[in-house]
Amino acid sequence: MIAKISSGQDTAGLVRYLFDTKKAKDHTDPHLVASWDGFAPDPGRTDDFDATKKLLVADLNLHVKQARRLGRAPEKHTWHCSIRAATTDRHLSDEEWADIARRIVATTGIAPEGDPDGCRWVAVRHAPDHIHIAATKVRADLSAARHWNDYLTADRELAAIEKEYGLFQVVRGDRTAAKRPTRAEQEKARRSGHDKPARERLRATIRAAVAAATSTEEFIHLLNHTDGVLVEVVHFPSGDLRGYKFASQDTTTADKEPVWFSGSELAPDLSFPRIQERLENIEPQPTNQPGRRRSNPWHQATATAERIPHRLDQADDEASQAHLAAFGEALDALPLLVPQPLRPQLREAASAFERATRSRIRAEHHHARALRGAVRAMVREPAPRDGAVVAMFLDAAILVVIAAARWHQLHRHDQQVTAAHQTLLHLQAAYDHAAAAPLAALAQRQPPQQAVERQIRRLRQVVPDHAEQVIADPAFDALAVALAEAEAAGHDPERLLQQAADQRALDDAGSAARVLIWRIQRLTAPSEPSTPTLDSASTRRTPPTSTRQPSAQQSATSGQRRR
């Protein structure tokens, strides 16, 4: 069930609408199912409709008029709550709707149970699947109704009603979701030929910039050099940075100002203080030195991501929330780094998981410094030449999202659970595409049968609980090759298998063989020769393109409505 609550100042107009059957064609047989005292006049059950309607309006307005004489009546004195059942629900009886109405006015504070001074209200049913509650917000003692957070309390009560009545249980949020585009914004996007409104496009662009930046100055610089995005930097009188506003260039016309959004209007975690907090908690990567060898940043990010499911199993909710937020940044960065065929699915995955990165639990971002640092290192590298490293990270990402869905489920974060499940669909599609070529190339190098049988014995010895499943997996041939090549390179296959299995339980994996392949390849990957640090803006695979990196002071002050 879904409630929609609003306030107004015209009791007669509200009652007229609820009982109208001429303009509103879907209104059939309007009538009262409940009222404040059970004896309110019902215009739908009388021969003299107009007279009864006036009488009902006068009764509802009684306390409002009394309070108005004392100057105590609120300007918007009407309270209107519509409650609609799901299309799949059975049609409730008038008595059931009456019970629901009484529970809603009681829990919202309009007419608390057992309170003789509660507000006057009526519940009108004019369609099979919903009712409307109309009330006036002045109590019998002429004080104002105490209905703070009425939508939230009504929604909680409706969740309980759904369970008790056996109705469809709506996926509910925790008031941390990003604001949805209005109908006007959606229509404007369609007229301008965009598949998404400016609000959603800006949100995705800003999240990608956060994932690429290492400081607030660089963050603003990146957005200033992003095509189609306007940035306005706001300062305190002292000159210190206060925040920023964003607009999409296509919302600007010759005679109108662009439609500006603050970061918090786009998403709760995109306010300037929240972004600043995240950017201050990035683990710096080791400086490259000539002659030294370094590990692949994709391998570092994969190893860090693989530890997240274990982190989510701990009792530290603030740390878990931080790891989910940092993983969301990794997904935001991926479309900038991977080959073109993978980008559509990964953009959808990042967009879906955005909802799973927030909850009422406040993140302590210092716990996720390592993953943020690894993601920034990935961004500053050239595109990976080996498709296996992308498949390796996506394989780990799938396990993270499965663990995230489980963590949100335990905390009853319904919308976040749904978002995680949607993310899995897109990640799995991207992974299947990314993994196909590397796995096929491995399988073609199949070792002699004697070597394959040796790997089978090792599997049964090291991972007995999963051995038969792995052997029957279509990817087993590629795993046998990976183990044989590691052995030829001087590694201990049994130790490698044990290390790969110990990194994370294989129970969540759709293909345990594939998980073992990527872990073994990462464990045996040689370090890369050190190269000069890729620190110039022209080498970074980030949303904007630029030719030089301005100083911090220039970045913070040159953002006034620039592209």
Side-chain angles (χ1 to χ4, degrees):
M1 288 187 158
I2 296 176
K4 184 177 180 180
I5 297 175
S6 60
S7 296
Q9 54 187 7
D10 185 2
T11 309
L14 176 57
V15 171
R16 186 184 311 114
Y17 163 75
L18 297 180
F19 284 92
D20 174 59
T21 57
K22 296 179 180 178
K23 293 182 180 180
K25 301 300 182 182
D26 59 336
H27 292 190
T28 59
D29 188 26
H31 60 280
L32 296 185
V33 294
S35 65
W36 73 94
D37 62 356
F39 299 102
D42 185 356
R45 293 290 185 267
T46 182
D47 294 333
D48 194 342
F49 175 81
D50 291 335
T52 308
K53 183 186 68 175
K54 290 180 181 179
L55 184 59
L56 175 60
V57 171
D59 285 351
L60 286 171
N61 276 340
L62 176 63
H63 300 317
V64 176
K65 289 185 176 181
Q66 292 172 341
R68 190 170 289 150
R69 295 192 192 103
L70 302 175
R72 294 160 58 180
E75 181 180 355
K76 291 188 175 182
H77 61 266
T78 65
W79 186 84
H80 177 203
C81 175
S82 63
I83 305 172
R84 185 178 297 274
T87 55
T88 56
D89 286 338
R90 62 182 175 85
H91 286 174
L92 302 177
S93 66
D94 282 358
E95 291 74 19
E96 289 173 317
W97 278 119
D99 174 61
I100 293 170
R102 293 187 190 97
R103 292 174 64 168
I104 294 300
V105 295
T107 194
T108 56
I110 293 297
E113 187 175 1
D115 184 355
D117 292 330
C119 300
R120 294 193 166 192
W121 61 274
V122 294
V124 179
R125 183 179 189 180
H126 56 211
D129 62 348
H130 69 277
I131 61 168
H132 293 260
I133 303 174
T136 47
K137 297 191 292 184
V138 178
R139 293 163 45 83
D141 58 8
L142 303 188
S143 64
R146 296 182 286 271
H147 63 101
W148 297 282
N149 286 326
D150 49 9
Y151 174 78
L152 183 60
T153 54
D155 197 51
R156 289 173 179 167
E157 187 66 20
L158 288 177
I161 289 171
E162 289 167 354
K163 293 181 180 179
E164 293 176 25
Y165 279 77
L167 306 176
F168 174 77
Q169 296 183 24
V170 174
V171 175
R172 290 182 157 80
D174 54 7
R175 305 178 79 180
T176 62
K179 185 177 180 181
R180 294 180 179 179
T182 64
R183 180 175 295 181
E185 291 173 345
Q186 293 172 338
E187 292 295 334
K188 187 172 185 178
R190 278 193 283 269
R191 290 195 302 269
S192 59
H194 292 285
D195 58 342
K196 292 183 179 180
R199 180 191 299 273
E200 293 186 349
R201 286 182 280 123
L202 283 171
R203 184 186 305 136
T205 300
I206 294 166
R207 289 181 64 85
V210 173
T214 57
S215 66
T216 52
E217 292 81 10
E218 184 184 15
F219 166 68
I220 295 173
H221 166 73
L222 294 177
L223 288 172
N224 277 331
H225 292 77
T226 301
D227 291 337
V229 176
L230 302 175
V231 182
E232 183 173 314
V233 180
V234 182
H235 296 86
F236 288 107
S238 63
D240 294 333
L241 185 61
R242 179 180 180 180
Y244 41 71
K245 296 187 293 184
F246 308 103
S248 178
Q249 191 178 17
D250 58 56
T251 62
T252 307
T253 61
D255 57 342
K256 291 184 178 180
E257 284 288 310
V259 179
W260 294 96
F261 298 92
S262 67
S264 59
E265 288 177 318
L266 297 174
D269 57 347
L270 291 183
S271 65
F272 179 71
R274 293 289 182 88
I275 288 179
Q276 192 174 35
E277 181 184 0
R278 289 151 66 184
L279 294 179
E280 288 174 352
N281 286 284
I282 298 174
E283 185 174 287
Q285 297 298 297
T287 303
N288 297 329
Q289 297 179 8
R292 295 187 62 182
R293 303 182 74 84
R294 59 189 177 87
S295 61
N296 187 316
W298 282 82
H299 292 172
Q300 294 176 352
T302 302
T304 308
E306 282 188 329
R307 291 193 287 269
I308 293 179
H310 174 70
R311 310 283 190 194
L312 298 183
D313 288 339
Q314 307 304 307
D316 192 340
D317 287 344
E318 290 78 11
S320 296
Q321 184 63 63
H323 285 294
L324 292 179
F327 178 73
E329 293 178 21
L331 292 185
D332 292 329
L334 275 184
L336 310 173
L337 312 175
V338 299
Q340 182 65 41
L342 301 179
R343 293 178 186 177
Q345 289 290 356
L346 290 179
R347 287 194 190 100
E348 292 300 323
S351 177
F353 196 76
E354 182 261 347
R355 182 66 191 96
T357 60
R358 292 187 303 275
S359 71
R360 301 296 290 180
I361 299 170
R362 182 66 182 267
E364 293 184 357
H365 291 293
H366 64 274
H367 290 286
R369 290 167 57 89
L371 180 56
R372 284 197 170 89
V375 170
R376 270 65 179 183
M378 289 165 55
V379 168
R380 281 153 178 77
E381 288 290 316
R385 298 176 183 177
D386 183 4
V389 299
V390 178
M392 191 183 303
F393 182 84
L394 293 178
D395 176 71
I398 288 172
L399 295 181
V400 173
V401 176
I402 291 173
R406 184 166 56 240
W407 186 81
H408 282 304
Q409 183 75 53
L410 290 173
H411 290 77
R412 300 183 180 180
H413 299 158
D414 294 342
Q415 287 187 352
Q416 289 88 333
V417 172
T418 300
H421 290 160
Q422 292 171 345
T423 305
L424 273 177
L425 298 176
H426 299 293
L427 273 184
Q428 189 65 56
Y431 169 77
D432 290 341
H433 191 286
L439 289 176
L442 266 179
Q444 287 176 358
R445 304 197 295 267
Q446 187 171 4
Q449 184 62 31
Q450 184 178 3
V452 173
E453 292 175 356
R454 190 162 60 247
Q455 309 310 336
I456 291 176
R457 289 195 297 272
R458 286 168 174 155
L459 279 168
R460 287 172 174 160
Q461 179 181 349
V462 177
V463 285
D465 293 340
H466 300 278
E468 301 308 320
Q469 174 191 353
V470 171
I471 295 168
D473 194 301
F476 170 71
D477 290 343
L479 174 60
V481 173
L483 285 168
E485 291 182 349
E487 185 176 15
H491 297 280
D492 182 346
E494 293 182 7
R495 183 180 178 186
L496 277 177
L497 269 176
Q498 192 66 61
Q499 285 181 289
D502 289 345
Q503 285 180 357
R504 175 64 186 168
L506 301 173
D507 298 329
D508 290 338
S511 169
R514 292 187 179 191
V515 172
L516 292 172
I517 290 170
W518 306 131
R519 291 177 181 173
I520 289 168
Q521 290 209 327
R522 180 164 53 79
L523 289 169
T524 58
S527 299
E528 299 176 358
S530 177
T531 56
T533 180
L534 302 176
D535 221 13
S536 64
S538 61
T539 60
R540 295 175 184 172
R541 299 177 60 80
T542 52
T545 56
S546 63
T547 57
R548 64 186 181 89
Q549 175 73 29
S551 67
Q553 184 177 2
Q554 289 173 326
S555 312
T557 58
S558 63
Q560 302 294 332
R561 300 190 182 184
R562 291 180 52 193
R563 292 180 65 180

